[in-house]
Amino acid sequence: MKQIEVQILQQSYLLTCPEGHESRLLDAVERVDTAMTRIRDAGKVRARERIAVLAALNLAFEIADREAADLAAGAAQTTTAPAAAIVSPGQQETRLPDEDQHRLHSLVQRLDQALGEDGRLL
């Protein structure tokens, strides 16, 4: 195990991490310090422990958001329903299930109606 001294919100901490994981630990320290600094600089919260709790909640929410997106992406890839493809110039092909494709088509029609023939809002 290796010990590394780091600074989080201008306070020093001596942390221990497994050999070879120092860069990951330093990345994590940077994320936490950045999150805590943003909250402190917003000026609404001053107590260090409250800042730490809010930063932890924000980071946990970001992780949960990413996990949900990854799960949704995995579910979309394994779906057995036929999917329509949407491709915009310079973008990867995105496959939508039929139900979403119908909703998208309906929204595009409503947008066309709202914009009128010349592409400007009526």
Side-chain angles (χ1 to χ4, degrees), residues 26-104:
L26 292 174
D27 287 343
V29 166
E30 183 179 340
R31 283 183 181 205
V32 169
D33 183 55
T34 299
M36 289 180 69
T37 300
R38 279 191 200 130
I39 292 167
R40 182 202 60 204
D41 291 350
K44 294 180 181 176
V45 181
R46 284 280 165 225
R48 185 180 296 274
E49 62 216 22
R50 290 183 64 87
I51 291 171
V53 168
L54 290 172
L57 287 170
N58 286 337
L59 293 169
F61 184 79
E62 288 175 17
I63 290 168
D65 235 12
R66 264 189 252 127
E67 288 174 349
D70 290 347
L71 261 172
Q77 288 176 356
T78 59
T79 185
T80 56
I86 297 176
V87 181
S88 298
Q91 292 185 337
Q92 276 188 307
E93 181 178 289
T94 303
R95 296 215 171 263
L96 295 175
D98 281 343
E99 180 181 319
D100 291 340
Q101 183 64 23
H102 293 302
R103 289 177 57 207
L104 178 62

